[in-house]
């Protein structure tokens, strides 16, 4: 996990916005599969952030075969922001279903440095990689995305946030 602290800007995504963007991603992918009919064989979510987007994409495209891959990323040099990021697979999707990934849509919420997708791409080179959001460093790793944000932006997802009271701008003295 990269901490949000060094980031200049925050991009706050509501459930409503996420739903609309995930639908836009699904519509962009519709009939773009490798087969003659353009259908996709399966959707694979990169947990955990890819699960809600993958569910929405699978629903829009009427895909019932859904699996997950769990990737944990960490800083190789002990958690410092300037150290190399590494990634490791903790749980794999069904091997027989995946093959080399052809016809499979692999979905994540965002690509940042691209380390997570780089690892999954090595395993399933023929899969199609889709994210809702993408930062410039990670863009070469993703085939389809909806919204680009700058590298110094931290994206806040609705599952990481809660509504809370804020003091009025003109408070009592
Ligand atoms: O392009 P990268 O630099 O690899 O970063 C992108 C990944 O980081 C976040 O997941 P995280 O590993 O924090 O786990 P989570 O999905 O369980 O929140 C995000 O959901 C992406 O999967
Ligand atoms: N929530 C969240 N997780 C991330 N993991 C890597 N980059 C980000 C980001 O911008 N937001
Ligand atoms: Mg993730």
């Amino acid at each position: 996990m990269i901490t949000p602290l060094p980031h200049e800007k925050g991009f706050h995504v509501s459930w409503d916005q996420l739903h609309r963007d995930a639908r836009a991603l699904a519509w962009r992918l519709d009939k773009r599969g490798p087969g003659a009919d353009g259908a996709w064989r399966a959707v694979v979510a990169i947990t955990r952030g890819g699960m809600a987007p993958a569910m929405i994409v699978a629903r829009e495209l009427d895909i019932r075969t859904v699996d997950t891959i769990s990737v944990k990323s960490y800083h190789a040099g002990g958690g410092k922001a300037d150290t190399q990021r590494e990634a490791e697979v903790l749980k794999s999707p069904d091997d027989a279903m995946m093959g080399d990934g052809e016809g499979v849509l692999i979905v994540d919420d965002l690509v940042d440095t691209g380390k997570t997708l780089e690892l999954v791409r090595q395993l399933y080179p023929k899969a199609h990689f889709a994210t809702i959001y993408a930062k410039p460093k990670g863009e070469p790793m993703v085939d389809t995305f909806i919204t680009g944000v700058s590298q110094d932006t931290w994206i806040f997802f609705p599952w990481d946030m809660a509504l809370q009271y804020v003091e009025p701008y003109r408070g009592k003295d």
Side-chain angles (χ1 to χ4, degrees), residues 41-98:
R41 285 195 295 117
V43 169
V44 170
I46 302 182
T47 67
R48 295 155 303 177
M51 294 181 87
M55 181 274 272
I56 295 163
V57 167
R59 190 253 178 199
E60 289 299 315
L61 301 184
D62 193 27
I63 299 166
R64 302 276 171 170
T65 304
V66 179
D67 207 334
T68 58
I69 179 167
S70 175
V71 178
K72 183 177 165 56
S73 54
Y74 55 92
H75 290 287
K80 286 187 242 101
D82 58 354
T83 53
Q84 185 67 35
R85 268 192 105 209
E86 298 290 348
E88 176 194 355
V89 175
L90 297 181
K91 181 263 168 197
S92 300
D94 185 72
D95 243 2
M97 184 275 287
M98 289 302 288

Side-chain angles (χ1 to χ4, degrees), residues 103-157:
V104 177
L105 266 179
I106 301 188
V107 178
D108 207 349
D109 50 359
L110 73 105
V111 59
D112 186 323
T113 64
K115 280 281 164 198
T116 303
L117 292 193
E118 190 182 13
L119 176 65
V120 183
R121 244 181 205 288
Q122 282 165 11
L123 299 170
Y124 310 109
K126 293 211 171 158
H128 189 99
F129 290 82
T131 64
I132 302 184
Y133 306 106
K135 301 189 192 180
K137 257 193 202 169
E139 271 189 41
M141 285 294 141
V142 67
D143 300 307
T144 307
F145 67 93
I146 294 300
T147 303
V149 301
S150 62
Q151 203 66 40
D152 60 356
T153 296
W154 185 261
I155 303 169
F156 290 89
F157 287 103

